Amino acid sequence: MSKKLLRVLRGERVDPPPIWLMRQAGRYLPEYRELREQAGDFLSLATIPDLATEVTLQPVRRFMLDAAILFSDILLVPWGPGQRLEYVSGTGPVLSPIRSAADLLRLSPARLSSAIGSVAQTVRRVRGALGNASSDVALIGFAGAPWTVACYMIEGRGSRDFVAPRMMAYRNAALLDGLIGLLTETTISYLTAQADAGAEAIMLFDSWAGLLPPSQFRRYILAPNCSICAAVRQRFPGLPLIGFPRLAGTMLGEYGVATGVDAAGIDTSVSPEVAASLLPSGVAVQGNLDPLAVLVGGEELEAQTRYILTALDNRPHIFNVGHGILPNTPPKHVEELVRIVRQGPSRPFGRDPAGQTAT
Ligand code: CP3
């Protein structure tokens, strides 16, 4: 019998739905903090295959989740070709910003191959470890989508509004087109290597898709996501693809139709029923519990979780959070969440926490 997550990605409804969580590996786990300290810096943790394999497996072992997600980061794609990158505690990623054609020319995409090599090695080791346990756990590989990676490359750090890349879309579209084109090509190689090494599904994170107006959304989100999905499909026809155009609002429907993804991740702001109605019926919905509800725990966690289970009961659904697990989340609450999801949706309680019954 094939793995639950893969069945849902083929369009099957599975009850209870499979569950995994964005940022399931990370600082909220003491065993992660311990290895992170041993490694010294985040990039070593992400690029030394033995360490990255162990961190990938930590949450799967602890919570018996239905999927492992490769432990890596979307910013290895600019770091590999030579953009300076540092993860500063309390600030997040800091990069040497790309603001001109000369900055872009200094990157050498051929140098990405060593980062790709270490990530492929991690994928092989995780598959080996999961295979030995003859488990039902699927391994998800991933990359950032070009616009989201470009946001960090251009801004040079995390931001709430990423003004520099958005300005570039108006004032120097040729440069942004060049960068998006380069990222599209390198992302295809990066994902192809993960699939070759044994990733069983691929997720494309477009975390900042929601910053763009519709015409730019089509140019910088739809077009590159479509090219990547088409290229990966051509090489790996059966490999399921999950797209996550975060905060895309009503553009979610266009995204689902144009890219042909097998599942769409939805963020916390989207009503699950509306997401389901915007997407083609065979497309699975992945999401979308508020990470803050996991941090808070208790009755709120239970009510929010049951609401989502009920709202997506008649649909291929992968249970997940709407954005990454927060660093202060008590691991006990994740345990509790998994328990609630495994009880399934067909219990009382299918109420929107604000009082509106799910349909
Ligand atoms: O468990 C998993 O989800 C797999 C590993 C994973 C990480 N980052 C590890 C990580 C994945 C899938 C990502 C994706 C990622 N990285 C995204 C897309 C998803 C999203 O969150 O919107 C983005 C935008 C990034 C870029 C990035 N990396 C930021 C903004 C930060 C700093 C924020 C923070 O939490 O500190 C990182 C660092 C990072 N990536 C950490 C982890 C576990 C924390 C690093 C640490 O140990 O200090």
Side-chain angles (χ1 to χ4, degrees):
M1 198 188 67
S2 95
K3 302 179 180 185
K4 256 191 185 181
L5 182 94
L6 303 181
R7 281 163 53 202
V8 174
L9 287 169
R10 284 196 294 266
E12 200 181 311
R13 235 192 97 256
V14 172
D15 181 12
I19 172 172
W20 71 276
L21 303 165
M22 291 191 279
R23 288 281 167 95
Q24 62 191 27
R27 283 164 296 187
Y28 75 109
L29 293 178
E31 59 269 35
Y32 171 88
R33 292 196 297 271
E34 195 177 307
L35 265 195
R36 167 85 157 80
E37 203 161 304
Q38 269 178 38
D41 63 301
F42 175 78
L43 278 168
S44 304
L45 192 58
T47 55
I48 298 174
D50 275 344
L51 297 181
T53 300
E54 175 56 24
V55 175
T56 303
L57 295 170
Q58 283 174 346
V60 176
R61 275 195 216 113
R62 191 193 255 261
F63 305 116
M64 308 219 284
L65 299 159
D66 295 294
I69 180 158
L70 165 71
F71 186 79
S72 179
D73 197 70
I74 65 166
L75 300 178
L76 292 195
V77 167
W79 175 72
Q83 188 169 15
R84 271 208 318 278
L85 168 65
E86 212 184 322
Y87 291 85
V88 179
S89 121
T91 306
V94 178
L95 305 91
S96 46
I98 305 281
R99 298 289 167 86
S100 67
D103 294 338
L104 188 53
L105 281 172
R106 270 196 289 275
L107 302 182
S108 43
R111 280 171 54 198
L112 180 60
S113 54
S114 100
I116 289 184
S118 75
V119 167
Q121 189 62 20
T122 304
V123 170
R124 267 184 237 109
R125 289 189 194 183
V126 174
R127 270 308 295 279
L130 293 175
N132 293 342
S134 69
S135 72
D136 189 37
V137 181
L139 175 59
I140 303 170
F142 75 91
W147 164 253
T148 289
V149 176
C151 276
Y152 290 93
M153 293 177 79
I154 297 165
E155 190 77 35
R157 58 193 300 142
S159 161
R160 235 170 305 166
D161 50 11
F162 286 100
V163 170
R166 285 164 60 213
M167 278 292 219
M168 194 182 282
Y170 287 106
R171 292 195 168 149
N172 196 350
L175 181 59
L176 184 57
D177 284 338
L179 176 54
I180 296 284
L182 180 74
L183 286 170
T184 302
E185 291 314 309
T186 49
T187 302
I188 291 167
S189 317
Y190 185 57
L191 291 176
T192 301
Q194 293 181 34
D196 265 329
E200 296 170 282
I202 292 292
M203 177 151 167
L204 269 172
F205 286 90
D206 224 339
S207 304
W208 299 104
L211 293 177
L212 296 173
S215 61
Q216 290 175 354
F217 185 98
R218 293 186 182 108
R219 181 160 167 179
Y220 297 118
I221 308 295
L222 292 185
N225 277 279
C226 285
S227 303
I228 294 168
C229 289
V232 173
R233 276 247 148 74
Q234 196 184 15
R235 289 229 24 207
F236 301 91
L239 183 71
L241 304 172
I242 308 170
F244 181 44
R246 196 171 73 93
L247 300 174
T250 54
M251 295 302 282
L252 178 69
E254 235 178 278
Y255 178 93
V257 172
T259 57
V261 287
D262 301 280
I266 58 170
D267 62 79
T268 306
S269 73
V270 184
S271 137
E273 295 94 335
V274 172
S277 71
L278 288 171
L279 290 163
S281 63
V283 175
V285 176
Q286 175 175 283
N288 70 338
L289 181 65
D290 186 357
L292 208 57
V294 191
L295 188 149
V296 167
E299 278 176 24
E300 280 300 328
L301 171 61
E302 177 145 9
Q304 299 272 357
T305 302
R306 289 205 193 285
Y307 173 70
I308 293 166
L309 288 169
T310 306
L312 293 171
D313 191 21
N314 56 2
R315 174 107 196 172
H317 176 208
I318 300 161
F319 198 95
N320 208 313
V321 271
H323 203 190
I325 292 285
L326 296 162
N328 295 330
T329 304
K332 274 245 164 275
H333 294 182
V334 173
E335 242 169 68
E336 179 64 9
L337 169 62
V338 172
R339 190 188 62 74
I340 298 166
V341 170
R342 295 259 158 86
Q343 284 175 357
S346 38
R347 253 48 65 189
F349 226 10
R351 298 178 70 76
D352 176 309
Q356 201 190 346
T357 304
T359 47

